[in-house]
Amino acid sequence: MLPTTLAQFADVLDYPQPGLAEKSRLCAQTVARMALPFLAVDSRQLSPDALLSAFAREVEPMAYGLQEEAYASTFDLGGAYPYIGYQLLGETYKRSIFMLELKNRYHAYGLSEGGELSDHLVCILRYLNVLQDEEEFCELTQYAILPALDKVLHAARMRDENDHSALPLYLAVLQALYDVLVTTVGEPLIKAAPWEEDHAQAQCEAFDEMPLAYDAMD
């Protein structure tokens, strides 16, 4: 049932399309039927199916334009970029290799990225839906998806330390996905490096060492 569930998560996390609330409820029903043990970080956190149901209730009355805004505010403007390779590796050569390998594996199963970069979370979830190799399934989940989700969700909670159980809309769906994967596959086996901090520090240091025009005139 897990592959089917991941395909349904992909439908929910894809760019908003008509029927988003129905897709969310369907995913919630599938997760509930899995009868997973509940891994609450505190007494206020909802179970994965409850998070998905709450998401469905929130987006159902929204006009399509507002659903697009909610999506953009999370994934495009909110910093929760849905690119697994980017979260793990940044804009590096290693990420390019990761994306190329994913692309080759998708094509081997007759899958297309559909206009997205190959390390987009939705693309990877749809790949896992058809993947037959259990070892690869676990490796991709525990070494890539879960560490990236953990990083995104941790950053979101750090931005709202007064109520770290409250996650806005699409982040709540990411939390539900994280909980489902942890309870079915296992904990993340690595921690995503905070490469953004290192990159920012390197840029500052490079700027400090850069000679200024008026220095050359002395």
Side-chain angles (χ1 to χ4, degrees), residues 118-188:
S118 58
D119 65 341
H120 195 289
L121 174 61
V122 167
C123 295
I124 298 178
L125 291 177
R126 288 181 173 144
Y127 173 59
L128 293 180
N129 176 48
V130 300
L131 182 61
Q132 302 297 316
D133 188 323
E134 183 177 351
E135 182 178 356
E136 182 184 343
F137 188 106
C138 293
E139 287 181 353
L140 194 51
T141 299
Q142 293 180 282
Y143 284 99
I145 296 176
L146 284 173
L149 290 179
D150 182 54
K151 179 181 179 180
V152 167
L153 292 168
H154 177 73
R157 292 193 182 93
M158 290 295 290
R159 288 194 294 269
D160 188 7
E161 294 181 347
N162 293 327
D163 185 4
H164 58 81
S165 68
L167 292 173
L169 286 181
Y170 280 97
L171 285 176
V173 179
L174 294 182
Q175 180 67 60
L177 173 61
Y178 182 89
D179 291 345
V180 167
L181 288 174
V182 166
T183 54
T184 54
V185 181
E187 296 283 346

Side-chain angles (χ1 to χ4, degrees), residues 3-163:
T4 299
T5 304
L6 297 184
Q8 292 174 350
F9 267 108
D11 290 340
V12 176
L13 290 167
D14 206 348
Y15 196 82
Q17 298 293 332
L20 178 58
E22 289 79 1
K23 295 173 184 177
S24 306
R25 279 193 289 267
L26 177 61
C27 189
Q29 292 166 4
T30 304
V31 171
R33 287 198 299 271
M34 295 174 73
L36 301 173
F38 180 32
L39 299 177
V41 296
D42 61 45
S43 60
R44 296 171 293 176
Q45 184 174 317
L46 298 175
S47 62
D49 57 300
L51 285 169
L52 287 161
S53 296
F55 175 82
R57 289 193 299 271
E58 289 289 332
V59 300
E60 188 163 34
M62 286 184 176
Y64 179 65
L66 290 178
Q67 291 182 2
E68 288 183 305
E69 289 181 15
Y71 184 93
S73 67
T74 299
F75 296 120
D76 298 332
L77 305 175
Y81 305 115
Y83 301 99
I84 301 303
Y86 176 83
Q87 293 293 347
L88 297 177
L89 304 167
E91 293 289 7
T92 63
Y93 181 68
K94 289 182 178 180
R95 182 195 176 196
S96 299
I97 296 298
F98 178 64
M99 290 194 296
L100 179 60
E101 180 63 27
L102 285 173
K103 186 174 183 178
N104 291 336
R105 295 185 186 190
Y106 297 164
H107 292 180
Y109 278 85
L111 298 177
S112 168
E113 299 91 322
E116 285 289 355
L117 297 176
S118 58
D119 65 341
H120 195 289
L121 174 61
V122 167
C123 295
I124 298 178
L125 291 177
R126 288 181 173 144
Y127 173 59
L128 293 180
N129 176 48
V130 300
L131 182 61
Q132 302 297 316
D133 188 323
E134 183 177 351
E135 182 178 356
E136 182 184 343
F137 188 106
C138 293
E139 287 181 353
L140 194 51
T141 299
Q142 293 180 282
Y143 284 99
I145 296 176
L146 284 173
L149 290 179
D150 182 54
K151 179 181 179 180
V152 167
L153 292 168
H154 177 73
R157 292 193 182 93
M158 290 295 290
R159 288 194 294 269
D160 188 7
E161 294 181 347
N162 293 327
D163 185 4

